[in-house]
Amino acid sequence: FGTSAAMPRDSVAAEIPPERRELLAIGHPHDGFLQIWVETGAVGAMLAALVAVLLVQGAASAPRAVTVPAIGLIAAAAAVMLVGHGAWQGWWAATLGAAAIWTVRAGVPEPSASRPAGISRP
């Protein structure tokens, strides 16, 4: 992780034509998917794709109360990754983790004894 900033100093960078080498000095890829590819290589990109497929399969096989918001959360995260480059930032992982926990928890019915009388859960 963090190899994007070191790309211009790598010995392989000398093999890139000078007019294209300028892009290496940017410091980081400008979307999360490209960042995963650059930072972890083909193996990391394939593992990330496998995780995404398993995530969608898990969401699709969950109860409907969880499936719909889970697929929405996955779509929202993918949209942010298309324009953001903070795949390794702690706040991003924490936000997705909290949203995933909230999504699953929202689909779990509470025992009726714990609810005050007259209050129903949507």
Side-chain angles (χ1 to χ4, degrees), residues 11 21 39-40 46 62 69 77 85 112 116 119:
S11 60
R21 229 178 281 157
E39 303 261 344
T40 64
M46 285 189 282
H85 56 82
S112 58
I119 297 178

Side-chain angles (χ1 to χ4, degrees), residues 4 23 25-35 38 80-86:
S4 298
L23 293 175
I26 291 173
H28 56 79
H30 284 274
D31 72 63
F33 299 108
L34 184 58
Q35 184 178 9
V38 169
V80 170
M81 285 190 64
L82 284 172
V83 296
H85 56 82

